Amino acid sequence: MGTLDTFITTTLGLTKLPPFLPTFLYSFLGFSVVHQVIAPWASRRWFPHAYGSIPRRAQNAWSIHVVSQIHAILIVPLSLWALYYEPAERAGDRAFGWDERVGYVHAVACGYFLWDSLDAVVNFTDVGFVVHGVACLAIYAMSFRPFVAYFGLRCLLWETSTFFLNIHWFMDKTGRTGSTAQFVNGIFLLSAFFGVRLMYGGKVSIDFVRTLVQVRREIPWTYFIVFGIGNIVLASLNWFWFTKMISALRRRFDDGKSLQRTRLVNGVTHGNYGTGN
């Protein structure tokens, strides 16, 4: 571990990472085990038809959403916990301030983003997922310099919307597309995404850019470029995904209304609507 610590602190410059390296590795292994073992086993047991009847690639997507949901359930409360106990002086040094609780939460997030990046490459479906995973991993790993850790916790709160997004996805896969439950969840999803990612996240992104410009002469140019581009990419993806979600929700409920009208014409009762039967 001495050689590894030296490489991390001296070569990579991540001086705060070594104490949290076990958390980082356990996080990565934990999410990997959920993806490869626990999610497939639980899905076959609890959703034998919905999960068992889809092809292997679709089953992998199902497991990915299970991991994503677990991460959201873990990381948002952890971030709120760290923010609750955040020392007042950290607000005065947003660029280089540090707190041990931040290190713990960021290590958990890094483990997740490493898993996410590898899966996005190995099971490639969209370049946006690869860019998102790699950008998040780079930004949160480089925060152990320490650098802009103040903003890291606040950006992790964006995962609040992921919780509702995954529920929406699972409703689609279990025959509840267009149901009242999905409609209610859709309201929570759009509200959380708009409020947390776009409004609150937009403010955090603007404050982040201001801080980055203020300390541009105190940091390596690589940090300025990676964090600057990463901030733009992630903010742009948030707006892009928001427009896609609105379009997807419109399609689902337009299709749901058409299905309801067809079933009523054919004499099908409301009791079976949305159950997949």
Side-chain angles (χ1 to χ4, degrees):
M1 289 298 291
T3 304
L4 180 59
D5 285 356
T6 301
F7 173 75
I8 292 173
T9 57
T10 305
T11 305
L12 299 181
L14 307 178
T15 59
K16 299 294 185 179
L17 180 56
F20 302 99
L21 194 58
T23 302
F24 168 61
L25 294 176
Y26 289 142
S27 173
F28 170 70
L29 291 174
F31 288 121
S32 298
V33 169
V34 171
H35 179 209
Q36 298 295 333
V37 180
I38 298 176
W41 173 83
S43 300
R44 288 191 189 96
R45 180 171 182 177
W46 294 331
F47 303 97
H49 176 71
Y51 179 82
S53 61
I54 57 179
R56 184 178 296 274
R57 191 173 185 84
Q59 289 180 346
N60 182 70
W62 181 298
S63 296
I64 288 172
H65 281 274
V66 172
V67 178
S68 172
Q69 190 73 333
I70 291 175
H71 173 254
I73 292 171
L74 287 174
I75 209 66
V76 172
L78 283 174
S79 299
L80 291 172
W81 163 72
L83 286 170
Y84 182 80
Y85 290 103
E86 183 178 60
E89 58 269 19
R90 281 196 64 218
D93 189 4
R94 298 184 177 187
F96 306 109
W98 184 253
D99 178 16
E100 297 301 307
R101 297 180 187 86
V102 174
Y104 175 72
V105 178
H106 280 203
V108 174
C110 281
Y112 171 78
F113 289 127
L114 175 59
W115 164 83
D116 184 43
S117 300
L118 292 175
D119 179 78
V121 172
V122 173
N123 300 294
F124 181 84
T125 56
D126 190 305
V127 68
F129 295 127
V130 178
V131 172
H132 178 267
V134 172
C136 288
L137 175 60
I139 288 172
Y140 278 92
M142 293 168 74
S143 72
F144 285 93
R145 180 178 176 90
F147 184 60
V148 294
Y150 173 88
F151 296 99
L153 288 176
R154 287 156 175 81
C155 289
L156 286 173
L157 295 179
W158 295 0
E159 293 299 296
T160 301
S161 64
T162 303
F163 175 80
F164 300 105
L165 178 63
N166 287 324
I167 292 176
H168 182 87
W169 189 91
F170 282 118
M171 285 184 173
D172 273 346
K173 304 307 176 184
T174 54
R176 293 172 175 82
T177 300
S179 65
T180 301
Q182 191 181 53
F183 176 75
V184 173
N185 182 75
I187 293 175
F188 281 111
L189 169 58
L190 291 178
S191 299
F193 202 101
F194 183 79
V196 180
R197 284 187 181 254
L198 300 185
M199 294 295 97
Y200 175 73
K203 179 182 182 303
V204 170
S205 294
I206 292 172
D207 291 343
F208 176 82
V209 170
R210 288 173 177 168
T211 299
L212 195 63
V213 171
Q214 289 172 359
V215 300
R216 65 187 182 280
R217 293 187 175 86
E218 303 175 52
I219 58 176
W221 65 270
T222 52
Y223 274 61
F224 184 81
I225 292 176
V226 170
F227 280 89
I229 294 178
N231 182 64
I232 294 173
V233 167
L234 295 178
S236 299
L237 284 173
N238 281 339
W239 282 100
F240 173 70
W241 284 332
F242 186 65
T243 58
K244 289 191 69 174
M245 280 194 299
I246 292 177
S247 298
L249 284 168
R250 281 179 175 174
R251 285 197 306 271
R252 280 165 175 77
F253 289 102
D254 285 344
D255 291 344
K257 289 177 182 178
S258 298
L259 177 61
Q260 185 180 25
R261 286 194 294 267
T262 300
R263 289 188 169 187
L264 285 173
V265 168
N266 293 333
V268 179
T269 64
H270 286 285
N272 289 330
Y273 179 61
T275 63
N277 295 328

